[in-house]
Amino acid sequence: MKILITAGPTREPLDPVRYLSNRSSGKMGYALAAAAAARGHSVTLVSGPVALPPPKDVQVVRVVTAVDMLAAVKLHLATCDALIMAAAVADWRPVRVAKRKMKKGSEQRMLLELKRTPDILKTIAPLKGKKLFIGFAAETHNVRAEAKRKLREKRLDLIVANDVTAPGAGFEVETNRVTIFDAHSEEQLPLMPKREVAEHILDRLEAKCEA
Ligand code: C5P
């Protein structure tokens, strides 16, 4: 299969030296890309800014903002069979990006006006056709209900949900404890290395592809 994977955070600039971002390390998306390439799939990885080496036999496309990531996903979508959106796309970006460094004066407070970034999955949903789409849901509460809502609203074939407050799961760690939902089932996996989580997700993706 040709698989398009996104990974890492996006960075939304405020001025030339500052940005808004999140704690995503990119490890889950990079593990998916490495595992998919090792299975012989052709993999394109659209990566936000992370400190990870490029996985072997993977074409890496580097992006910074959510808008960049949307453009890169749109560009590579036409030629892929499956999309795995593992990136932690920022939800908000500053309304104004200062051209010069914002200097502090005597003020003790500052109001920052933010606007929504594009929802990549919702934007490309009309282009889905027969492609398989997999999303992630990183939650701190109501994991099951949120995952099922996102599966429906983002027109996903599978969603991989995790409680990022659980020990050993979520951001910056080598392991994850996830539940994989499709429209009819849920599969809870034990705590395991992200590479093994990636193998489970790819098993499910390949089974859907063959179905
Ligand atoms: O809505 P939420 O951000 O929790 O949804 C998570 C899923 O949606 C992930 O697969 C993420 O990559 C994707 N997403 C997106 N565009 C955004 C935000 C999230 O495609 N702006």
Side-chain angles (χ1 to χ4, degrees):
M1 293 168 83
K2 286 193 174 153
I3 308 183
L4 180 61
I5 300 174
T6 66
T10 66
R11 243 179 222 181
E12 310 301 328
L14 197 52
D15 72 10
V17 298
R18 303 183 178 95
Y19 55 81
L20 296 179
S21 193
N22 59 62
R23 289 176 52 198
S24 170
S25 63
K27 284 177 179 162
M28 193 60 243
Y30 274 61
L32 277 160
R39 289 181 182 213
H41 297 296
S42 162
V43 182
T44 302
L45 177 64
V46 174
S47 174
V50 298
L52 298 172
K56 196 166 166 277
D57 301 324
V58 168
Q59 184 200 356
V60 180
V61 178
R62 296 196 176 274
V63 297
V64 177
T65 66
V67 168
D68 295 343
M69 187 172 278
L70 171 62
V73 167
K74 274 185 175 164
L75 190 67
H76 292 91
L77 192 66
T79 53
C80 79
D81 306 303
L83 167 69
I84 309 180
M85 279 290 304
V89 186
D91 290 323
W92 302 95
R93 62 181 165 136
V95 169
R96 282 170 295 274
V97 182
K99 287 209 168 57
R100 301 166 66 187
K101 185 181 174 190
M102 294 162 68
K103 303 296 284 184
K104 58 183 174 294
S106 57
E107 69 278 10
Q108 295 299 313
R109 289 180 178 215
M110 182 180 67
L111 279 180
L112 201 54
E113 198 181 351
L114 304 176
K115 61 182 173 186
R116 287 292 290 268
T117 56
D119 187 302
I120 297 173
L121 281 169
K122 283 188 184 168
T123 308
I124 62 172
L127 307 172
K128 180 169 163 32
K130 290 200 166 21
K131 298 177 203 305
L132 295 167
F133 281 5
I134 301 183
F136 276 72
E139 308 293 343
T140 56
H141 53 282
N142 287 345
V143 180
R144 189 167 187 274
E146 282 299 300
K148 296 198 108 174
R149 180 178 65 78
K150 288 173 189 180
L151 183 77
R152 221 174 33 246
E153 288 183 0
K154 297 188 187 233
R155 293 194 54 201
L156 299 171
D157 298 281
L158 292 172
I159 192 160
V160 183
N162 63 332
D163 177 345
V164 289
T165 63
F171 298 124
E172 294 157 352
V173 293
E174 301 298 333
T175 52
N176 214 352
R177 186 199 305 269
V178 304
T179 306
I180 305 176
F181 296 85
D182 69 8
H184 315 290
S185 72
E186 69 181 81
E187 180 189 8
Q188 194 172 353
L189 301 178
L191 185 70
M192 59 177 74
K194 284 183 174 171
R195 175 63 183 244
E196 277 177 45
V197 176
E199 301 289 356
H200 275 274
I201 294 168
L202 293 173
D203 287 347
R204 295 289 301 269
L205 175 64
E206 288 170 0
K208 286 234 178 254
C209 181
E210 281 157 18

